[in-house]
Amino acid sequence: MSFIIKCLDCGHNAPYFPTSTTCPKCGSQWREAEYDYELLGKTLPEKLKARQQDLWRYRELLPVRNPNISLSLGEGFSPLIRAVNLGMMLGCPNIFIKDERQGPTASFKDRQASVTIAALKEAGITEMVAASTGNVAISYSAYASRAGMKLWAFVTSLVPAVKMREIALYGSQVIKITGSYDQCKHVAAEFARQRKLYLDMGARTITSIEAMKTIAFEIAEQLTIALGPEENSQMRTPDWYVQAISGGMGPLGVHKGFREMQQMGWINKIPAFAPIQAEGCAPMVNSWKKGLEKAEPVTNPKTRIETLATGDPGRAYEFLKHHVDSTNGVFESVTDEEAIRAMHVLAKMEGISAEPAAGAAFAGLFKLIRAGVIKPSDTVVVNCTGHTMPAEQGILGENWARDVKFPTIAQAPQEEGLLSALTQVAPERFPKIVIVEDTLEARRLIRRILQSQGNFTILEAENGREGLDLIQRELPDLVILDLMMPEMDGFSVIEALRSNPETATIPVIVATAKELTPDEKNRLSGHIQALLQKGDFLNDEFLDEVKSLLK
Ligand SMILES: *Cc1c(COP(=O)(O)O)cnc(C)c1O
Ligand SMILES: [Zn+2]
């Protein structure tokens, strides 16, 4: 492994030493590692074939001289999961989730911590200071404990108590700062300066950017397996990389990873970057939308998603803006509510429980698809940056469990106690919905979307004739109806329903892939409550319609 550290401001090259954090020539803190790409481009692919699937398989491209396996917790090479249900719902079949929840401490900070601690250990450092919105401190603590290093973890008081306790459990000293994350970073920096301790510099830490870039390498390897190589037989890259950001270290590193693969001749296309911020703390999004070259800091962040609360991104914005603009990407923001709702959709449709910060990335994805920025044919990788551990009360809301209490033995015999307990489990009557739709996938999709929104009794029919019978028998609260079906089409079903007094007032939502002629629209008008195009289901319209019709 041979590399140099190049200054991004004056171009000066210097050897690497983890504790020297500025350019010896101009004093800049913005520098990055440079490797022999021509050589590695040729020699590395063969070596990769025989290597274990973790982050250290790219060791020639990492700034650690002797990767120390005794520090490793198996970091890196998280699965790339195809989001089949989300893809159907959004009408965008090639959505992949880079599941960084599966890192050793359940967030993508494990990459940063594993590489940084390995480099510090190699340099003989035994004590360090880091400011964190939670996950960095958890991850650094885990690796620091393996390396026998002491960590002083400065966290804001907004960090959930369970996360703070996990940091302490690893043996780190937790210092709780009541103030913004930016203020927390200042206190940590002053503490490190006074005690002459190593301070983590966030996105300006060489090892952090180098660690994050492995996400790009893995995406290219995994996507090439999932979809096959590009036509020119180079490795496959997505059209979009979507990630929720705070300070922007992730996308800065990931962009460098794609750039390096391009320099090594492995790929010829870098994806468009879509960094997503929380609306209440979106200095980069706001500055980008105003066309500013330098970020305007947000001094008083107003988001409950503490993981994303960097108010002053400093120069990270200038670099990230360059990457977003040069790849034809976009910065976008989402509200806390949108992020939490996306979290629910992701959990209920894909079985993935992500923390609100990661939820923001998915809310951003939904927004960009709806706006037509991300196209149905695009291949998208969304970084699912961290796990919901644990799910906070506010995220779940009320009534998420049924409380069953056995009466005491004195009050009732055993048998009766069981019966009475079971009546408490049994659901009250849920709104009944009939789905009439001939394709199995579409029925499954509508069912899932409905289930992700609440408790319904859902019945299905696969053609118009069967549907009509079912509706007449069950008298549901709502019908979701396709138009083009065998046996009896949707138009005829509606006519039959409307001419029978028992079914005349049951609300109907038509969901169809068909472009309707004016004549067909006339036939439906006045007889149905809503008309929706398929592939457009995450449309708030659909869910709002369902909810309002079930009142
Ligand atoms: C740190 C973190 C982010 C933000 O990452 P940056 O790339 O550093 O802005 C997003 N999600 C989770 C879960 C995080 O821990
Ligand atoms: Zn310099």
Side-chain angles (χ1 to χ4, degrees):
M1 179 221 50
S2 72
F3 63 97
I4 43 123
I5 303 300
K6 190 189 186 88
C7 175
L8 293 173
D9 285 312
C10 76
H12 178 74
N13 289 337
Y16 176 59
F17 198 69
T19 46
S20 101
T21 53
T22 52
C23 169
K25 193 151 169 232
C26 78
S28 171
Q29 294 183 328
W30 290 89
R31 303 184 304 152
E32 66 183 23
E34 238 182 46
Y35 303 77
D36 185 344
Y37 300 114
E38 209 184 307
L39 176 74
L40 290 174
K42 292 194 199 96
T43 55
L44 205 48
E46 198 50 40
K47 290 186 180 150
L48 285 178
K49 284 182 192 158
R51 283 193 183 159
Q52 197 168 316
Q53 297 204 321
D54 63 22
L55 164 158
W56 300 104
R57 67 198 262 102
Y58 310 112
R59 66 185 78 114
E60 285 85 350
L61 288 161
L62 290 172
V64 176
R65 288 181 176 84
N66 295 298
N68 183 343
I69 39 163
S70 68
L71 298 181
S72 174
L73 285 163
E75 53 281 350
F77 235 89
S78 60
L80 186 71
I81 298 167
R82 197 172 198 139
V84 177
N85 295 315
L86 275 187
M88 272 202 282
M89 177 171 84
L90 297 163
C92 189
N94 288 316
I95 297 173
F96 292 84
I97 298 173
K98 186 65 174 153
D99 193 5
E100 290 290 299
R101 300 172 316 152
Q102 298 197 39
T105 73
S107 87
F108 79 146
K109 299 301 196 306
D110 287 328
R111 294 177 190 270
Q112 170 189 359
S114 61
V115 177
T116 301
I117 297 280
L120 294 180
K121 175 85 179 168
E122 207 169 57
I125 290 158
T126 56
E127 201 169 336
M128 70 175 287
V129 178
S132 168
T133 54
N135 291 341
V136 163
I138 289 177
S139 194
Y140 270 117
S141 297
Y143 286 94
S145 77
R146 283 180 84 77
M149 283 171 59
K150 163 137 186 100
L151 175 73
W152 300 84
F154 289 73
V155 295
T156 64
S157 48
L158 278 179
V159 171
V162 274
K163 284 194 175 179
M164 290 196 195
R165 288 196 291 266
E166 186 178 352
I167 299 166
L169 182 63
Y170 289 120
S172 297
Q173 178 60 55
V174 176
I175 300 111
K176 217 191 284 186
I177 305 291
T178 304
S180 72
Y181 179 43
D182 294 314
Q183 289 168 326
C184 175
K185 281 195 276 198
H186 283 134
V187 180
E190 189 49 30
F191 177 84
R193 200 186 60 79
Q194 284 182 10
R195 300 228 177 177
K196 298 191 168 48
L197 294 177
Y198 175 85
L199 172 72
D200 182 74
M201 303 287 282
R204 289 161 297 174
T205 311
I206 303 269
T207 41
S208 299
I209 296 293
E210 294 305 290
M212 289 303 183
K213 80 186 183 188
T214 56
I215 295 173
F217 300 160
E218 294 173 17
I219 288 173
E221 285 205 67
Q222 291 169 317
L223 214 52
T224 304
I225 292 172
L227 300 176
E230 302 277 356
E231 270 163 37
N232 56 12
S233 79
Q234 281 184 314
M235 292 174 91
R236 181 152 319 241
T237 52
D239 298 304
W240 289 90
Y241 173 75
V242 183
Q243 193 208 298
I245 62 160
S246 184
M249 173 194 309
L252 286 175
V254 173
H255 190 272
K256 183 168 191 272
F258 282 112
R259 234 158 48 224
E260 288 186 343
M261 284 190 285
Q262 200 169 41
Q263 285 169 283
M264 292 188 290
W266 296 358
I267 64 169
N268 61 0
K269 184 193 79 201
I270 296 182
F273 273 63
I276 312 295
Q277 292 197 294
E279 201 171 276
C281 185
M284 300 214 228
V285 182
N286 299 339
S287 303
W288 184 75
K289 289 191 173 173
K290 287 187 195 164
L292 303 179
E293 290 301 323
K294 290 194 180 354
E296 274 176 2
V298 169
T299 45
N300 186 14
K302 288 194 176 56
T303 171
R304 280 170 291 136
I305 308 178
E306 75 292 331
T307 312
L308 302 181
T310 298
D312 184 0
R315 286 186 66 193
Y317 168 70
E318 296 164 45
F319 295 106
L320 196 51
K321 175 182 187 296
H322 178 265
H323 301 332
V324 167
D325 290 340
S326 68
T327 58
N328 292 317
V330 287
F331 282 93
E332 191 51 275
S333 61
V334 298
T335 64
D336 287 6
E337 289 66 34
E338 286 170 323
I340 286 168
R341 182 153 151 212
M343 221 180 124
H344 281 265
V345 170
L346 187 66
K348 286 167 180 151
M349 297 202 63
E350 298 289 351
I352 291 177
S353 159
E355 67 167 87
F362 288 88
L365 169 79
F366 301 164
K367 202 165 175 175
L368 294 176
I369 290 179
R370 254 181 252 160
V373 175
I374 294 179
K375 304 276 182 301
S377 60
D378 286 347
T379 300
V380 186
V381 172
V382 186
N383 188 334
C384 186
T385 43
H387 195 290
T388 330
M389 214 142 49
E392 298 280 307
Q393 170 72 34
I395 280 158
L396 220 43
E398 302 300 319
N399 302 325
W400 50 272
R402 284 209 174 76
D403 238 351
V404 173
K405 293 195 184 72
F406 269 90
T408 54
I409 308 274
Q411 286 168 346
Q414 186 76 33
E415 195 71 356
E416 261 175 56
L418 183 62
L419 285 178
S420 123
L422 284 176
T423 58
Q424 297 168 61
V425 181
E428 62 273 22
R429 186 187 178 280
F430 294 133
K432 201 185 280 179
I433 301 180
V434 166
I435 304 169
V436 190
E437 162 70 63
D438 62 331
T439 51
L440 175 67
E441 272 90 64
R443 285 201 302 277
R444 249 187 53 203
L445 175 64
I446 296 170
R447 175 183 279 274
R448 273 170 199 274
I449 294 172
L450 292 171
Q451 282 169 340
S452 78
Q453 298 300 313
N455 285 317
F456 303 109
T457 300
I458 300 171
L459 305 166
E460 298 177 13
E462 58 183 44
N463 63 52
R465 168 76 47 215
E466 226 181 70
L468 186 59
D469 289 347
L470 187 64
I471 296 164
Q472 282 167 346
R473 200 165 60 238
E474 296 286 343
L475 301 176
D477 302 282
L478 174 67
V479 173
I480 296 173
L481 183 68
D482 189 14
L483 287 180
M484 308 314 291
M485 290 179 295
E487 302 284 324
M488 182 180 195
D489 70 13
F491 295 103
S492 317
V493 173
I494 291 169
E495 273 152 28
L497 289 179
R498 293 313 176 225
S499 63
N500 173 350
E502 267 205 303
T503 56
T505 57
I506 297 176
V508 174
I509 294 178
V510 166
T512 180
K514 183 175 159 47
E515 279 297 329
L516 296 185
T517 64
D519 196 40
E520 286 169 328
K521 279 194 181 152
N522 267 340
R523 268 179 86 188
L524 294 177
S525 132
H527 297 298
I528 65 167
Q529 276 57 43
L531 175 67
L532 295 169
Q533 286 300 119
K534 281 181 197 162
D536 197 19
F537 271 115
L538 200 72
N539 207 311
D540 295 313
E541 217 191 322
F542 174 63
L543 300 168
D544 291 347
E545 285 290 349
V546 168
K547 281 183 186 150
S548 72
L549 292 172
L550 288 174
K551 282 285 132 52

